[in-house]
Amino acid sequence: MKAHDGLYIDGAWRPAVGADTIEVVNPADEQVIGHVPAGTAEDVDAAVRAARAALPAWAATTPVERAARLTALRDVLLARRDEIAETVTAELGSPLPFSQNVQVGLPIAVAGSYADLAAAYPFEEKVGNSTVYQEPVGVVGAITPWNYPLHQIVAKVAPALAAGCTVVLKPAEDTPLTARLFARAVHEAGVPAGVFNLVTGLGPVAGQALAEHPGVDLVSFTGSTAVGRQIGATAGAAVKKVALELGGKSANVILPSADLAKAVNVGVANVMSNSGQTCSAWTRMLVHRDRYEEAVELAATAAAKYGDRIGPVVNARQQARVRGYIEKGISEGARLVAGGPDAPRERGYFVQPTVFADVTPEMTIAQEEIFGPVLVILPYEDEEDALRIANGTVYGLAGAVWAGDDAEAVAFARRMETGQVDINGGRFNPLAPFGGYKQSGVGRELGAHGLAEYLQTKSLQFQER
């Protein structure tokens, strides 16, 4: 076995128990670019045992010591930024500038933020005659998706380590090479053996074994709502803590006083980013009926410019799924104003940037998460109608509001049933809590709220003096 070819368990690379492997395919040209072990339940058990053995010593380290390891990890990721970005581009298909700036740049910033938080977080406080301690929840089973392979890993592993937890990571099978580079960075950063462990494998095998393992105290999962329900049920049966970041169908509400051209152009860019494979994408654009046709024309023109600028979707299944939704929209009577179901290239899992008009709230494409470069535009009559439509799905992950001034936008946003709302194009803040209402999940990621997910509370009472 070559170095880094196996599973990373207890501070070393070792072969998997079984001989099965998973092919890694470049979605831009459909060429196989690598193989990783298909970890088994036995491999997961070995990783969890290593994490449990490492837990007491790691939990006993000071916050300053943990911050130092996270700072070292941030520095290694920064030094390997180009290599990681090229790997993300190869296995996910993201255009290289996007991989460099977002796919890798963002998680580097997040790792640094948790180094700062670990050193400054109030793990102990006085409350009357009590001392309240925030202690690590224990062993974390982290199950991450493929759409932001490094960011989703860092958003779970960094706060877990900052809290004093140990981790077993099961990354998505479509993007495991990025996870391997992360494991190498953890090793180089001097994180003690067993504190972080990596098991590649299939979700129904390795992922399920991790979620069900009695040695795991918390399961942190990002992915589909359907799988999230299964994990929540499994964890609930064991009275195990979960953090679930699930699907979205976010509304981009453009109020009549907004700068329409800016709101539409930014909204289209948001949906096309990462080929539409972003759970928080504003995939429903809501426009007042008086300016509806103007917005539709602007969106169609903007979407057409992305034809050669976005990458493929991750695999053939996802391509077929997205194209199926486009066909569903047409069959249900929506008006296709840009793109369509036909594949734009002979090779690669590409999907045309697509825009639908004349969409009603009840249509499938207005209710279900498509996870591709597809925007639906819905008209509304007044603000109450817009609010009804915006809140009219089972999801509540993110959204946006545009208005002539921030106060007007904030007044509307406060009534939206969603976890994060961008006001007049407000930029993403990696220190702000990220997570959803309703079926978009349980718990929060990023910043101090993300750190709190990996802690449990203990209070000691003393006699008053």
Side-chain angles (χ1 to χ4, degrees):
M1 184 186 74
K2 297 179 181 178
H4 318 306
D5 272 357
L7 309 175
Y8 184 74
I9 298 176
D10 203 17
W13 294 91
R14 62 172 69 173
V17 170
D20 291 344
T21 61
I22 299 169
E23 277 189 350
V24 184
V25 176
N26 184 328
D29 60 15
E30 304 180 41
Q31 297 299 304
V32 175
I33 59 173
H35 295 80
V36 298
T40 66
E42 292 177 78
D43 296 310
V44 169
D45 181 64
V48 172
R49 289 178 182 276
R52 289 228 73 86
L55 179 62
W58 181 248
T61 59
T62 67
V64 172
E65 289 173 314
R66 298 197 291 270
R69 290 305 101 217
L70 287 169
T71 297
L73 175 60
R74 187 268 324 268
D75 292 345
V76 175
L77 293 174
L78 184 59
R80 293 188 170 181
R81 180 173 185 158
D82 290 344
E83 180 187 7
I84 300 172
E86 290 168 0
T87 301
V88 172
T89 292
E91 64 181 353
L92 179 62
S94 293
L96 187 57
F98 186 80
S99 291
Q100 292 169 329
N101 296 327
V102 178
Q103 293 281 11
V104 182
L106 175 60
I108 288 172
V110 170
S113 75
Y114 277 113
D116 295 338
L117 273 168
Y121 194 84
F123 289 99
E124 178 182 338
E125 64 175 332
K126 297 290 186 180
V127 180
N129 68 309
S130 301
T131 300
V132 179
Y133 297 92
Q134 299 296 326
E135 299 181 340
V137 72
V139 174
V140 172
I143 304 174
T144 57
W146 43 260
N147 59 328
Y148 289 90
L150 182 64
H151 171 63
Q152 296 290 353
I153 289 171
V154 171
K156 298 181 188 304
V157 175
L161 298 188
C165 298
T166 55
V167 181
V168 178
L169 169 67
K170 205 298 284 185
E173 48 261 41
D174 288 292
T175 55
L177 304 181
T178 298
R180 281 202 197 179
L181 291 179
F182 179 79
R184 291 169 60 185
V186 167
H187 189 86
E188 190 174 332
V191 175
V195 171
F196 170 82
N197 307 271
L198 169 68
V199 178
T200 55
L202 300 175
V205 180
Q208 184 172 341
L210 185 58
E212 294 178 346
H213 200 290
V216 171
D217 301 293
L218 180 151
V219 180
S220 180
F221 169 79
T222 297
S224 72
T225 298
V227 176
R229 289 194 196 100
Q230 296 173 6
I231 289 175
T234 298
V239 196
K240 185 181 300 186
K241 191 174 180 182
V242 295
L244 304 174
E245 199 268 281
L246 308 175
K249 194 69 180 177
S250 301
N252 180 16
V253 182
I254 305 175
L255 297 177
S257 61
D259 181 335
L260 184 66
K262 181 179 180 181
V264 170
N265 284 319
V266 173
V268 171
N270 176 276
V271 173
M272 300 307 159
S273 177
N274 205 35
S275 302
Q277 299 170 128
T278 303
C279 53
S280 57
W282 312 331
T283 50
R284 294 181 298 144
M285 182 179 289
L286 279 57
V287 184
H288 192 277
R289 191 171 294 280
D290 288 349
R291 303 193 71 183
Y292 184 74
E293 288 302 331
E294 183 183 355
V296 169
E297 185 176 344
L298 287 167
T301 300
K305 298 176 182 177
Y306 285 88
D308 296 326
R309 293 165 55 184
I310 64 173
V313 294
V314 71
N315 57 39
R317 296 187 309 279
Q318 187 67 13
Q319 183 191 43
R321 180 177 187 271
V322 176
R323 292 170 67 185
Y325 272 110
I326 296 172
E327 292 169 349
K328 184 74 170 177
I330 295 171
S331 70
E332 290 187 347
R335 173 165 48 115
L336 186 68
V337 297
D342 294 336
R345 307 186 193 184
E346 291 185 5
R347 292 187 65 80
Y349 309 126
F350 291 88
V351 176
Q352 294 185 68
T354 298
V355 178
F356 280 106
D358 299 344
V359 178
T360 63
E362 297 77 21
M363 288 183 179
T364 302
I365 58 173
Q367 288 292 321
E368 297 183 11
E369 185 177 40
I370 298 173
F371 226 59
V374 181
L375 170 67
V376 301
I377 311 179
L378 301 93
Y380 66 85
E381 302 297 334
D382 53 31
E383 284 197 15
E384 292 305 314
D385 189 36
L387 186 68
R388 177 186 64 81
I389 296 170
N391 290 339
T393 76
V394 298
Y395 298 111
L397 185 57
V401 182
W402 300 79
D405 63 73
D406 285 356
E408 182 185 0
V410 168
F412 188 95
R414 289 296 304 272
R415 297 199 291 162
M416 293 174 70
E417 297 169 352
T418 193
Q420 188 171 81
V421 184
D422 294 347
I423 302 297
N424 284 325
R427 65 185 177 86
F428 184 77
N429 179 5
L431 296 178
F434 181 83
Y437 287 22
K438 301 189 286 186
Q439 292 187 28
S440 284
V442 176
R444 291 296 180 266
E445 292 187 326
L446 304 180
H449 293 81
L451 177 56
E453 294 292 333
Y454 298 92
L455 296 168
Q456 54 190 348
T457 304
K458 176 185 290 180
S459 64
L460 304 183
Q461 284 60 249
F462 298 87
Q463 280 198 333
E464 301 267 14
R465 286 196 175 93

